Amino acid sequence: MTAGVLGLAAVAGSAMARQSTVTNAEAAVDYARAHVPDIQIEACEGTHSLPFEQPERISACLTEFMDAHDPAAAG
């Protein structure tokens, strides 16, 4: 899962809820990919409450993103 990823596009790893009444997930994903270098983002089945609907998936995506971008791990 930078602006709102789940609506949580908030870092540069993000997930957008397809059934959200707040966002158009497909348009947001397309826009983010066009404007945010190296973004990891996807549209997921769910609503604006995606972090509560799919906590394991969102947690795994965020952990993967943070691990890949951890400056301490770079040495």
Side-chain angles (χ1 to χ4, degrees):
M1 8 227 24
T2 293
V5 345
L6 318 196
L8 183 98
V11 220
S14 185
M16 296 297 297
R18 282 198 175 103
Q19 286 77 34
S20 175
T21 58
V22 178
T23 62
N24 176 327
E26 302 301 335
V29 167
D30 291 343
Y31 183 88
R33 285 187 177 141
H35 293 89
V36 181
D38 301 320
I39 192 167
Q40 295 171 260
I41 187 168
E42 66 180 283
C44 303
E45 295 304 320
T47 68
H48 193 66
S49 297
L50 191 57
F52 301 105
E53 297 167 353
Q54 297 187 38
E56 295 84 9
R57 180 177 185 183
I58 300 307
S59 179
C61 289
L62 290 173
T63 299
E64 178 183 330
F65 177 82
M66 290 184 288
D67 288 346
H69 296 85
D70 182 2

